[in-house]
Structures are given as C-alpha cells and as structure tokens.
Amino acid sequence: MSLAANRVNNSSLRSAPWNNLLYWLYVTIKREIEISYAFMESNFDAAFVPFPIFATASLLHRKGTYEEVVSSLTNTLLYGFFFYYSTELANNADGGTIEDEINKPNRPIVQSQTTVAAAKLRFYLASAMWLLLSYILDVYIWSLLWIAVLVSHYLLRASRIGPAKDLCIVLGVTSQLMACWKLGGSDMHDGWRWPVSMHRWD
C-alpha cells in the first residue's frame, strides 16, 4: 500500500469518531426538540401567547422606542419559552398517565417516548436555566414564585385541594403578568392593576 493511501486511511480513522459524535449530537438534539414540542403543543395559546401580548402592552404604555421593543420582546419570548416549558414538564411529570391516555394520548410519556423521571430531570434543568435567565433580566422574584407554584401544584399535589388549586392559579397568573410588565419596562405600580382586575373578574 502506498504512503498516500496510508495517509488517507489514517485520516479517515481519525475523523470517524468526530463524525460519530456529530451524528450523535444531531440525533439527540433533534429528538429533544421533538419531545419538547410534544410536551408543549397542547397548551400553547394559554401558556405562551400572553407573554408577548402583555409585554407589548407595557411597551405601549411607556411608549417604548423601536430598539426597546425589539430587545424587550426578544427577552420576553425567551423568558416565556422557559416559563411554558417548565410548566408543561411539571404537568407531565405529575404522573397522571392514566388520565392522559384518555384526554391527551399524544403526550410523550403516554407514547413511551420518555419517562416521568426524565420529565422531572428536564424540569429541574429547565428551571435552573430559567432562574439564571430571570436573574439576568431582573425578574427572578416572579420566576421563583412560579416555580414554587409548580412544585406545590404538581409535584406536591396541592392541586387536589380545592382552595390550594385556586391560590396556585392566582399566584401563577400574577407571576406571569407582572414579569411581562416588567420586561416591557413600565412602572410596576401601574402593572398591578391588571392582575388585580382579572382576579376580581374571576
């Protein structure tokens, strides 16, 4: 075998592990995106859409500039994604597999695409990333409140107690709207009128 052929073979052997690693990363990321979408697809309108709407209301209230609108809405969409993702992970990790088999048969745990333990692990990781982002955006108080609601509502099963479930909903809506209002940059005192009005309406 010629020297040139040996060099080609050696180069192929060296590149093979990298190719395998890249392929593994591609498959893993693709699968995670698909599972994340399956976790999140059922409640998109209720859990995610209010974020850009309420942040936009805050921006309009203070007459934000174009640059501020772009920056604020970008942060809001990223923040809203983690809010929504952590919520759906906690919801799925609640373990209501029998109920989901009837009402939401497309959920990943029901489809055996993942497990309750894996969903809980994703919840802890997503919550940690969300808290870090919240700290950077200075809305971590509202994120901590929401995570406390999620843990109480789903993992500690407070949702089975009527008044506790209602309280979780009130605190959850408040944390969602107030974080959006602050991300929009308006005065927080003005923002309180919205959740208070909504809770009175309920």
Side-chain angles (χ1 to χ4, degrees):
M1 185 179 292
S2 67
L3 181 60
N6 284 333
R7 288 177 178 174
V8 171
N9 289 335
N10 290 336
S11 177
S12 299
L13 289 173
R14 285 195 299 269
S15 63
W18 286 106
N19 291 336
N20 292 337
L21 176 61
L22 291 175
Y23 179 74
W24 177 82
L25 285 173
Y26 166 76
V27 171
T28 301
I29 293 172
K30 180 175 180 290
R31 179 177 180 274
E32 196 61 33
I33 291 173
E34 291 172 348
I35 291 177
S36 297
Y37 176 77
F39 274 129
M40 300 168 68
E41 65 176 330
S42 60
N43 297 315
F44 179 82
D45 54 344
F48 183 77
V49 172
F51 277 92
I53 292 177
F54 207 65
T56 300
S58 176
L59 286 161
L60 291 173
H61 179 73
R62 69 179 183 88
K63 298 179 174 61
T65 65
Y66 174 78
E67 291 78 10
E68 289 172 333
V69 169
V70 172
S71 175
S72 178
L73 288 182
T74 299
N75 292 334
T76 299
L77 291 174
L78 186 59
Y79 181 88
F81 167 79
F82 278 107
F83 175 98
Y84 180 30
Y85 187 45
S86 62
T87 301
E88 289 305 311
L89 287 172
N91 188 5
N92 280 262
D94 187 34
T97 308
I98 297 176
E99 179 184 345
D100 286 346
E101 286 177 354
I102 300 172
N103 297 325
K104 297 179 180 178
N106 293 326
R107 282 188 164 180
I109 295 175
V110 177
Q111 293 290 320
S112 298
Q113 294 175 313
T114 188
T115 63
V116 171
K120 287 182 179 180
L121 177 60
R122 288 183 176 92
F123 169 73
Y124 297 136
L125 292 175
S127 297
M129 294 175 64
W130 188 39
L131 283 175
L132 177 60
L133 175 65
S134 302
Y135 181 79
I136 294 172
L137 298 177
D138 195 26
V139 289
Y140 59 91
I141 294 298
W142 306 112
S143 298
L144 286 171
L145 175 60
W146 181 241
I147 288 175
V149 168
L150 289 180
V151 171
S152 300
H153 187 68
Y154 292 113
L155 303 184
L156 299 181
R157 307 296 177 88
S159 58
R160 297 181 178 180
I161 306 172
K165 182 176 182 179
D166 294 338
L167 177 61
C168 286
I169 293 173
V170 169
L171 294 177
V173 170
T174 301
S175 68
Q176 182 184 31
L177 295 185
M178 293 307 294
C180 294
W181 191 260
K182 185 164 186 177
L183 288 170
S186 288
D187 184 82
M188 295 299 287
H189 178 74
D190 296 333
W192 275 109
R193 291 180 298 178
W194 292 93
V196 170
S197 298
M198 291 179 66
H199 296 321
R200 284 178 178 173
W201 178 266
D202 291 340

